[in-house]
Amino acid sequence: MGGVSLFQRKAALFIACLLPLAWLAYLIFDDRLGVDPVKVLVHFTGDWSIYLLMLTFSLSPLRQWCGMPTLLRYRRMLGLYAWFYTSLHFLLVLTYIFGWDWSVTKEELSERPYVIVGFLAWLLMVPMAATSNHFSVRRLRANWRRLHRLMYPVMVLGWLHIAWQVRSSYRDTLLYGVIILILFLPRLKILLKTR
Amino acid sequence: MLIKQAPDIPSSEITPEAVYLRRREFMLGAGVAMAAAGLGLGASSPVSASAAENLDYTPVNPLPDNPFYTNEVQPSFAEAASYNNFYEFGMDKSDPAKYAKAMIVDPWSIEVTGEAENTGVFPLEDILKQVSIEERIYRLRCVEAWSMVIPWLGFPLADLLKWFKPTSGARYVKFTTLLRREEMRGQRSSLSVIDWPYVEGLRMDEAMHPLTFMSVGMYGKTLPNQNGAPIRLVVPWKYGFKSIKSIVSIHFTSVRPKTSWEQIAPDEYGFYANVNPGVSHPRWSQRYERRLPGSLLKPNRIKTQLFNGYGEQVASLYEGMNLRKYY
């Protein structure tokens, strides 16, 4: 452990985050997506969006709970990957479900609550992704931290996006709900203070 | 308005094109007991079970203007047998193919109750003696906005219902799927919102419509468990969830049955569930569908048709009804 540099760890994490995508590429090229490849791709990228969002959101509390102050060094990369998978998910939906058809997109974005919250979550991630560089951190100072509390609504909207799609089993929705709730506990102070 | 009814084709006419299930062998449980009436085979010439097993499935040539056939692209048997919604075996599309083997489909009987003269428990063998097996190639449209074209083997539901002699009090037919927790793992799940067993229903005139079909096979083979073995309903102009699988009970009733999905979310899954691009499900637009199999380069995104394209045959059933209210 001691000989591994931060750079090496970050590189390892970078590659690890690409593994789902590599797996997906393998499934595509090996023709293993089944009869409804669109559905598999959309669900796969959606799943990894919420996994990475939860992981990103967990680093700050985990740092305190586990006494590992260095955990935060990986937050930006994980956050950007969450943004990457969410954007891919959105792009796939636009292409294969909405067919880049404006009238369909308009209908979905105005009539379907789960689509609306999902889109909003993606939209709120844009300013965070855009300010994830050193320059922005320095320039925005305290406002940077405030801006990145957009993760709070993103987590809630992301969870709603999943919950509103439940047809028959609440298993995953409940599991994610409990995890996200736990991750909100140490942030209660901030939430109450800003009121 | 005069709407043309589906032509009632005498079986002699479709014989040379159809694939037949040899009833006696099916009853003996001989597995794939089909007599294929292909180009080289006369309709009446028997084919041994082993020979039938070696037959590659050949799609039947579509007859002109015949609503029982469509020449649209079909998935392979393996694809149609590996992509199923059958929540009794799990919620993932691949779950039924994995777990439905546990369901024992032989022996099988259907209990007939309610407003009919000929009620009781009927072994499947007795039921199949009453009907003759034919092939229908139908579009199947799921409310989740995907669709497939499936060649079914079976018989018109009307032929069976007439045998039970429903009385004038029979206004609806209620169907129930098998409830057997030890064989159906989805029924054991505590987080499922479905109140087992699965229930579906049709209005009597819908049930008696010539397009309404009871299937015991597909692709010239007996029905795989995951596709609703040994006997299932196929209502091609309605969303797939109406086409109830693995039927164990038929109940004639004067009151509209409360169907499973209607119990869970009445605002989303109505009793009628007619395929209608104009009425969107709260969560899925119904204007388009993905015709499977699809690929990333060819997603087969097509416009959904009213009554799944069977409007000419079934629109008269709903004349004067507000399809937005009775969705």
Side-chain angles (χ1 to χ4, degrees):
Chain A
M1 187 84 174
V4 184
S5 71
L6 178 66
F7 177 79
Q8 282 169 322
R9 281 185 209 158
K10 279 194 171 175
L13 184 66
F14 185 87
I15 291 164
C17 287
L18 275 176
L19 288 180
L21 200 68
W23 175 244
L24 204 57
Y26 162 72
L27 290 179
I28 292 170
F29 289 114
D30 207 43
D31 200 19
R32 289 195 186 200
L33 290 179
V35 267
D36 197 356
V38 168
K39 204 192 123 160
V40 177
L41 283 194
V42 168
H43 282 193
F44 187 92
T45 49
D47 284 346
W48 279 97
S49 304
I50 195 73
Y51 300 157
L52 286 168
L53 276 170
M54 289 192 296
L55 198 60
T56 309
F57 200 53
S58 72
L59 288 190
S60 151
L62 275 182
R63 169 188 59 160
Q64 289 166 343
W65 295 336
C66 309
M68 291 173 72
T70 54
L71 272 184
L72 274 200
R73 290 173 184 169
Y74 309 100
R75 190 166 63 175
R76 181 189 341 199
M77 193 190 295
L78 283 175
L80 278 171
Y81 263 112
W83 155 251
F84 169 69
Y85 279 97
T86 311
S87 301
L88 202 58
H89 175 70
F90 182 43
L91 206 64
L92 287 164
V93 169
L94 271 175
T95 306
Y96 291 112
I97 311 286
F98 301 168
W100 290 105
D101 179 330
W102 172 239
S103 74
V104 172
T105 308
K106 206 175 91 182
E107 183 191 311
E108 296 281 348
L109 277 175
S110 55
E111 288 178 23
R112 265 161 290 277
Y114 85 89
V115 177
I116 297 169
V117 294
F119 176 70
L120 275 180
W122 175 80
L123 213 59
L124 292 183
M125 291 170 80
V126 175
M128 288 193 285
T131 56
S132 66
N133 47 63
H134 283 302
F135 176 73
S136 299
V137 178
R138 274 197 306 268
R139 191 143 167 227
L140 291 168
R141 293 166 195 262
N143 282 333
W144 188 91
R145 294 190 71 173
R146 245 174 259 155
L147 178 74
H148 283 249
R149 278 182 202 142
L150 281 173
M151 272 302 272
Y152 299 7
V154 165
M155 294 314 293
V156 175
L157 292 169
W159 181 78
L160 273 175
H161 180 66
I162 295 164
W164 261 328
Q165 290 178 70
V166 169
R167 285 188 78 194
S168 176
S169 169
Y170 290 103
R171 194 190 58 189
D172 292 352
T173 314
L174 276 175
L175 181 68
Y176 301 160
V178 169
I179 293 173
I180 292 168
L181 257 180
I182 291 171
L183 295 178
F184 262 112
L185 288 179
R187 293 171 163 108
L188 274 180
K189 238 193 202 162
I190 297 169
L191 277 170
L192 294 174
K193 234 193 272 173
T194 50
R195 286 292 129 88
Chain B
M1 178 165 130
L2 187 77
I3 289 168
K4 205 170 74 186
Q5 278 293 310
D8 220 353
I9 297 168
S11 57
S12 58
E13 255 184 70
I14 50 171
T15 293
E17 323 246 355
V19 179
Y20 275 79
L21 185 76
R22 279 176 63 208
R23 232 178 292 150
R24 191 186 298 158
E25 288 191 18
F26 180 81
M27 286 180 281
L28 291 170
V32 192
M34 305 299 157
L39 289 168
L41 300 163
S44 54
S45 70
V47 181
S48 73
S50 57
E53 262 173 303
N54 294 329
L55 281 175
D56 278 328
Y57 173 73
T58 327
V60 175
N61 292 326
L63 302 177
D65 302 325
N66 187 345
F68 300 162
Y69 294 93
T70 168
N71 56 5
E72 290 156 275
V73 68
Q74 296 167 17
S76 68
F77 171 81
E79 287 170 329
S82 61
Y83 191 84
N84 311 96
N85 275 329
F86 200 163
Y87 283 11
E88 279 79 348
F89 298 106
M91 265 146 315
D92 206 86
K93 297 274 184 298
S94 57
D95 285 340
K98 256 184 257 168
Y99 303 116
K101 289 177 195 79
M103 175 170 63
I104 296 163
V105 296
D106 187 22
W108 193 272
S109 55
I110 295 181
E111 186 180 27
V112 179
T113 54
E115 310 277 343
E117 287 173 31
N118 186 18
T119 55
V121 178
F122 299 91
L124 185 60
E125 293 79 12
D126 295 355
I127 285 171
L128 291 177
K129 272 180 214 158
Q130 304 304 318
V131 295
S132 54
I133 304 297
E134 58 181 282
E135 182 175 65
R136 304 263 181 109
I137 303 177
Y138 281 159
R139 288 181 286 274
L140 172 80
R141 170 63 154 81
C142 178
V143 72
E144 297 164 342
W146 56 267
S147 63
M148 281 184 186
V149 172
I150 309 267
W152 302 105
L153 290 172
F155 51 89
L157 175 65
D159 291 358
L160 181 65
L161 295 191
K162 280 176 205 154
W163 184 50
F164 300 129
K165 297 197 176 72
T167 63
S168 57
R171 292 183 56 218
Y172 297 92
V173 203
K174 176 184 162 186
F175 304 91
T176 310
T177 301
L178 183 70
L179 173 71
R180 214 179 273 162
R181 290 185 203 280
E182 61 275 22
E183 292 170 23
M184 307 173 102
R185 69 199 320 265
Q187 291 179 341
R188 301 196 292 266
S189 164
S190 52
L191 286 166
S192 168
V193 294
I194 297 177
D195 185 18
W196 310 108
Y198 192 82
V199 169
E200 257 305 336
L202 293 173
R203 213 169 58 192
M204 204 61 191
D205 58 343
E206 296 178 318
M208 299 303 283
H209 192 277
L211 280 182
T212 309
F213 201 60
M214 281 293 243
S215 171
V216 292
M218 62 182 208
Y219 294 79
K221 303 178 196 335
T222 46
L223 216 49
N225 282 8
Q226 60 269 28
N227 290 76
I231 186 163
R232 68 168 294 172
L233 185 69
V234 181
V235 195
W237 72 91
K238 293 177 181 286
Y239 292 121
F241 66 87
K242 288 298 283 186
S243 293
I244 185 169
K245 291 168 167 160
S246 304
I247 297 168
V248 293
S249 146
I250 295 176
H251 179 66
F252 295 96
T253 167
S254 59
V255 289
R256 197 173 90 177
K258 195 94 170 152
T259 66
S260 284
W261 281 108
E262 205 185 350
Q263 285 171 42
I264 298 160
D267 56 323
E268 299 194 353
Y269 312 97
F271 174 81
Y272 287 96
N274 291 314
V275 175
N276 189 342
V279 179
S280 65
H281 179 282
R283 290 184 275 182
W284 301 285
S285 168
Q286 299 297 355
R287 287 161 65 191
Y288 289 87
E289 65 199 55
R290 299 190 302 285
R291 174 61 55 81
L292 307 183
S295 71
L296 292 179
L297 296 176
K298 195 165 171 272
N300 289 344
R301 192 168 170 274
I302 57 175
K303 268 194 160 138
T304 289
Q305 303 174 75
L306 183 61
F307 299 117
N308 206 16
Y310 299 96
E312 204 187 317
Q313 289 82 36
V314 303
S316 61
L317 292 173
Y318 311 101
E319 228 166 298
M321 267 175 76
N322 179 352
L323 293 176
R324 198 162 279 281
K325 192 176 168 205
Y326 298 100
Y327 49 89

